[in-house]
Amino acid sequence: MIQEPFVNDTSPMQRLDPRSRILMATAFAFVVALSDLLSALLPALVVSAVLMVISGLPVRDVLKRLMVVNGFVLFLWLVVPVTFPGTPLFHLGPLTATWEGVLVSARITIKCNAILLVFIALVAVSPVATLGAALARMRVPEKIVLLLLMSYRYIFVMETEYQRLARSASVRGFRPSTSIHTYRTFAYLIGMLFVRASARAERVYAAMLCRGFSGKFHSLRDFSFSKKDGIWAVCMTGALLAIGAAEWMH
Amino acid sequence: MDALNPVIELEQIRFGYDAGKPVLNDLTFSLHEGQKVGLIGYNGSGKTTLLHLIMGLVTPSSGTIRVLGRRIETRKDFLKVRRTIGLVFQNADDQLFSPTVLEDVAFGPLNLGKTPKEARRMAMETLESLNLQGFEDRITHRLSGGEKRLVSLATVLVMQPKALLLDEPTTGLDEKARVRIAFLLNHLDISMVIVSHEYDFLKEAVPRIYSMKDGRIQYDADTGALHGHIHRHPAERHPHRL
Amino acid sequence: MHISEGVLSGPVLVSGIALAAAGTAIGLKKLDVDRIPRAAILSAAFFVASLIHIPIGPSSVHLILNGIVGLLLGWGAFPVILVGLVLQAVLFQFGGITTLGVNTVIMALPAVLGYYLFASLVGRRLRVALPAAFACGAFSVLSGAILVGAALAFTEKHFLKAAALVAGAHVPVMVIEGIITAFCVAFLKKVQPDMLPGKKD
């Protein structure tokens, strides 16, 4: 089942305005993504760890999640150290790992994980419904917001629909393998999912029309930027300036 | 009661999806203020089509539709109809498309031009009237089947329609939820047409049941005869203590 | 087909954002608001379909499906894929704030190109449509992999070998996507031909 594992009502982050949380996470992500020196990246990693602790999310679950998400980084570790030119560090059969290659990989690992930690602590603590409403209040085009909120809503319906289809295939003895029969079966399951999605779309749209939908999307929620949000924004700006200074004053 | 003003009048309606057999064949029907009518019939007897026709989701090939005495023809007329008559769809997942209950219930009032504050108040009142207080922040896709159905009803009632159309409101519900919905519909003070294939449920919910056959409503048939054998009352000796 | 945070350089990230914004703007313009519910529900279906594990030898792959997204939605692929990535970011904590632009382009640009190259062929009779659908599925993955490679290579010229490996690793996925796209198109042609581009009566 698709879930939102880090949505947490008790997290102190929930008391902050989601708009300012989205902005802070975005600003942090860009500053870190554009930094290259360890003297900037290591403090950034510390900031992300602090935010994670404040968010009160279960550290073990978050770390587990990070492992899974680090797939691309792992791939880079396998390739970059032995393909990057520079001072040899050690030999591995015909391959030579270089200092520079290891350093590049380490930098990417720190950047990626610092950004992810902040993203989880500040953004993934809120359900998509809240984030969508916040985006609407941040002047993101209403078509995108409607698309996001409705996709989110129907992911769960489509998942159930797919499971129903897959179950009916498996009770008739379908066992996936590397074969044309398997690929054809999956293609048909997916095709059927699209057909059902399309039919459902007609009905949903009809139901929306019956309730007076005329193309305008209205959001009910209002957010307020409190003093607490102000303090957070100031602290975050300070931290980002410090990271930026470490990177660019060098 | 029939002396009161008609809300919906259909005359000599014909409709077919393709050139073949018509789904509705010279159908005539009217619903008056305060009336509650059940329509029973087999799958494919045109029950759902009839409801969609009233809402302007499909267009008849011939015949006239009147709502509150006014003839309805153009797209614009139907836009008005949709503010006067509420349709509860068969599948609640088709009806509830917002992430949370409150947002979904407030969707209609917002479309009617209410301010967010008003819409929220109306939504909360409607939820309360259906004994759904505390549901406002629930995530729609995590509701149970019966809860989804009740919230669907709320999304339509909040628009304060003059009449309610319900398409198979008991599909996929267990006995308890079915009894609760029947009781609720029975006590709602609004004209309604309920389409269903469950005689027991209709009997609990509305005082008058017609059957549909061959694209028409059978006014002369004795609907009691549809259902000769006896069923025990689902709520036993306390049918109305739910 | 997804580049992590922290890998790409500033200019590459910014170009990605600019291209994604332009594509999304065109996509939204072509998507009337009354088509949004349809696009959203199809997007949900794509999202779920892209989670399916397809076995290949002892391992398995996820489908990308950007070829079919392009065939069914044309320019709508941009906003739909953008939204899919946002949902992935939040639901699976993939992150991807700075890379949202680049990743959208990596999947949506091939989808739109595939639409222009193959949609009219897919609308024809089965003997033409099936090879075209296969080509569309494979092409969309291939060009996505090339874009991943380009983004890496533009970031750092020494990433070139890594980029080539990424592209190489996508060859099996290309073949599988081609096969699945072809069968899926064959299915839709029988069951619901009006979903596919081409003659509408």
Side-chain angles (χ1 to χ4, degrees):
Chain A
M1 272 302 273
I2 299 168
Q3 283 168 331
E4 296 173 286
F6 297 118
V7 167
N8 187 331
D9 286 335
T10 59
S11 168
M13 295 301 182
Q14 287 285 17
R15 290 195 283 278
L16 297 179
D17 187 329
R19 291 170 304 175
S20 75
R21 280 189 279 126
I22 293 173
L23 285 178
M24 286 193 287
T26 309
F28 181 87
F30 275 99
V31 168
V32 171
L34 298 178
S35 299
D36 268 323
L37 298 177
L38 286 180
S39 55
L41 292 179
L42 288 173
L45 191 59
V46 172
V47 170
S48 68
V50 169
L51 286 181
M52 185 55 51
V53 171
I54 296 176
S55 77
L57 293 176
V59 177
R60 269 187 52 178
D61 294 349
V62 173
L63 289 180
K64 252 194 235 158
R65 204 48 227 161
L66 281 186
M67 295 295 214
V68 178
V69 176
N70 268 303
F72 191 84
V73 171
L74 184 70
F75 166 80
L76 288 179
W77 271 103
L78 290 177
V79 177
V80 172
V82 293
T83 59
F84 217 80
T87 328
L89 185 64
F90 60 86
H91 298 278
L92 210 89
L95 301 170
T96 309
T98 62
W99 254 117
E100 284 78 359
V102 170
L103 202 64
V104 167
S105 308
R107 272 209 302 262
I108 289 175
T109 311
I110 296 174
K111 283 195 207 185
C112 177
N113 287 291
I115 295 174
L116 279 177
L117 279 174
V118 169
F119 180 82
I120 294 174
L122 288 180
V123 180
V125 282
S126 291
V128 175
T130 307
L131 298 174
L135 291 175
R137 290 264 173 261
M138 291 163 80
R139 299 177 180 246
V140 170
E142 61 180 20
K143 278 183 182 176
I144 286 274
V145 175
L146 188 58
L147 197 58
L148 177 72
L149 290 177
M150 285 191 74
S151 302
Y152 166 69
R153 166 68 178 87
Y154 285 99
I155 278 177
F156 303 95
V157 176
M158 288 297 134
E159 193 191 23
T160 320
E161 204 116 85
Y162 177 74
Q163 281 164 349
R164 223 177 289 150
L165 289 169
R167 216 174 299 134
S168 90
S170 79
V171 295
R172 283 187 286 154
F174 175 58
R175 293 284 169 276
S177 66
T178 306
S179 67
I180 283 288
H181 170 67
T182 296
Y183 298 154
R184 182 176 42 223
T185 306
F186 276 119
Y188 287 178
L189 289 178
I190 292 169
M192 190 49 111
L193 192 64
F194 293 160
V195 168
R196 297 218 178 151
S198 173
R200 184 176 293 276
E202 302 297 323
R203 301 196 299 268
V204 170
Y205 183 56
M208 289 171 80
L209 284 181
C210 285
R211 288 199 280 150
F213 180 67
S214 56
K216 188 111 186 75
F217 171 71
H218 311 267
S219 175
L220 260 194
R221 296 201 220 182
D222 238 332
F223 303 104
S224 58
F225 192 84
S226 66
K227 205 168 122 196
K228 206 166 175 186
D229 290 302
I231 297 170
W232 269 82
V234 169
C235 292
M236 192 64 170
T237 312
L240 290 179
L241 284 176
I243 295 169
E247 170 76 20
W248 286 288
M249 304 279 275
H250 189 73
Chain B
M1 242 198 287
D2 288 20
L4 286 167
N5 299 329
V7 186
I8 301 167
E9 296 163 281
L10 304 178
E11 258 169 60
Q12 308 269 301
I13 297 285
R14 260 171 197 273
F15 176 83
Y17 283 100
D18 43 51
K21 200 178 157 218
V23 180
L24 301 178
N25 195 1
D26 282 338
L27 178 139
T28 296
F29 171 73
S30 62
L31 180 77
H32 293 261
E33 225 168 273
Q35 233 181 4
K36 293 182 181 182
V37 171
L39 288 180
I40 194 161
Y42 295 113
N43 289 341
S45 59
K47 301 181 304 245
T48 298
T49 308
L50 173 66
L51 300 187
H52 286 195
L53 227 127
I54 296 170
M55 301 303 282
L57 298 172
V58 293
T59 321
S61 43
S62 68
T64 55
I65 303 173
R66 271 179 230 279
V67 171
L68 296 176
R70 287 190 45 190
R71 194 163 167 181
I72 306 298
E73 283 165 311
T74 62
R75 203 180 104 83
K76 231 172 146 187
D77 294 337
F78 278 111
L79 289 182
K80 262 186 223 146
V81 168
R82 290 171 190 161
R83 296 173 177 214
T84 323
I85 300 175
L87 169 62
V88 181
F89 278 66
Q90 180 171 5
N91 186 331
D93 273 323
D94 294 342
Q95 187 124 27
L96 304 176
F97 65 91
S98 303
T100 65
V101 168
L102 181 67
E103 285 167 307
D104 219 308
V105 179
F107 173 76
L110 286 168
N111 288 332
L112 296 181
K114 306 283 181 206
T115 64
K117 210 175 141 196
E118 270 178 295
R120 172 186 289 268
R121 184 186 53 77
M122 291 169 75
M124 295 298 276
E125 279 174 12
T126 309
L127 286 172
E128 207 167 308
S129 74
L130 294 177
N131 262 326
L132 292 171
Q133 52 269 68
F135 271 65
E136 55 272 14
D137 290 326
R138 294 277 296 274
I139 304 289
T140 42
H141 68 79
R142 300 217 186 99
L143 300 173
S144 74
E147 290 167 345
K148 275 186 187 165
R149 198 73 50 143
L150 288 169
V151 173
S152 294
L153 191 59
T155 68
V156 170
L157 285 177
V158 72
M159 298 178 76
Q160 299 165 338
K162 287 262 191 286
L164 206 54
L165 311 178
L166 296 110
D167 193 355
E168 299 280 2
T170 54
T171 310
L173 294 192
D174 63 21
E175 194 63 32
K176 214 175 128 206
R178 209 165 15 229
V179 171
R180 185 171 173 194
I181 301 250
F183 177 73
L184 206 102
L185 292 175
N186 202 342
H187 285 72
L188 271 182
D189 186 19
I190 179 173
S191 346
M192 64 176 77
V193 179
I194 306 178
V195 145
S196 176
H197 61 268
E198 287 186 64
Y199 185 83
D200 282 6
F201 166 73
L202 284 180
K203 216 176 62 181
E204 289 299 314
V206 295
R208 178 179 321 219
I209 304 172
Y210 298 129
S211 78
M212 260 188 98
K213 211 180 152 194
D214 301 328
R216 271 178 227 189
I217 295 172
Q218 314 278 307
Y219 292 101
D220 44 356
D222 173 16
T223 45
L226 282 171
H227 195 83
H229 54 285
I230 298 159
H231 276 237
R232 111 194 126 86
H233 197 290
E236 299 279 5
R237 274 157 296 161
H238 309 290
H240 292 161
R241 267 178 50 187
L242 297 170
Chain C
M1 193 125 57
H2 190 270
I3 301 184
S4 297
E5 299 266 20
V7 178
L8 299 174
S9 69
V12 172
L13 293 177
V14 171
S15 321
I17 291 167
L19 281 174
T24 305
I26 297 173
L28 286 181
K29 201 153 191 189
K30 296 201 174 225
L31 208 59
D32 287 340
V33 91
D34 52 359
R35 303 284 290 170
I36 295 273
R38 186 186 167 76
I41 293 173
L42 277 177
S43 146
F46 283 123
F47 189 95
V48 169
S50 70
L51 300 177
I52 303 171
H53 291 266
I54 306 285
I56 170 163
S59 172
S60 70
V61 294
H62 290 293
L63 295 172
I64 302 167
L65 294 175
N66 52 344
I68 303 185
V69 173
L71 287 179
L72 297 190
L73 292 164
W75 278 96
F78 264 96
V80 159
I81 286 173
L82 176 76
V83 160
L85 285 170
V86 171
L87 288 175
Q88 244 180 25
V90 182
L91 296 177
F92 305 137
Q93 300 82 48
F94 278 150
I97 297 185
T98 65
T99 50
L100 185 59
V102 172
N103 283 327
T104 300
V105 174
I106 284 172
M107 294 200 280
L109 189 60
V112 173
L113 287 177
Y115 173 76
Y116 278 111
L117 289 173
F118 301 107
S120 63
L121 294 174
V122 164
R124 295 213 210 147
R125 67 207 144 91
L126 224 50
R127 222 165 7 134
V128 182
L130 286 195
F134 177 89
C136 181
F139 164 86
S140 308
V141 176
L142 173 70
S143 34
I146 291 174
L147 286 171
V148 171
L152 288 174
F154 274 120
T155 289
E156 163 68 70
K157 62 179 189 301
H158 299 306
F159 280 166
L160 209 58
K161 273 188 195 157
L165 273 169
V166 169
H170 276 94
V171 170
V173 186
M174 259 173 64
V175 176
I176 290 179
E177 286 264 347
I179 297 172
I180 299 256
T181 308
F183 279 127
C184 206
V185 162
F187 178 87
L188 291 177
K189 267 179 125 49
K190 265 183 233 147
V191 178
Q192 189 105 334
D194 60 351
M195 284 182 78
L196 290 167
K199 275 183 292 178
K200 299 229 162 79
D201 41 21

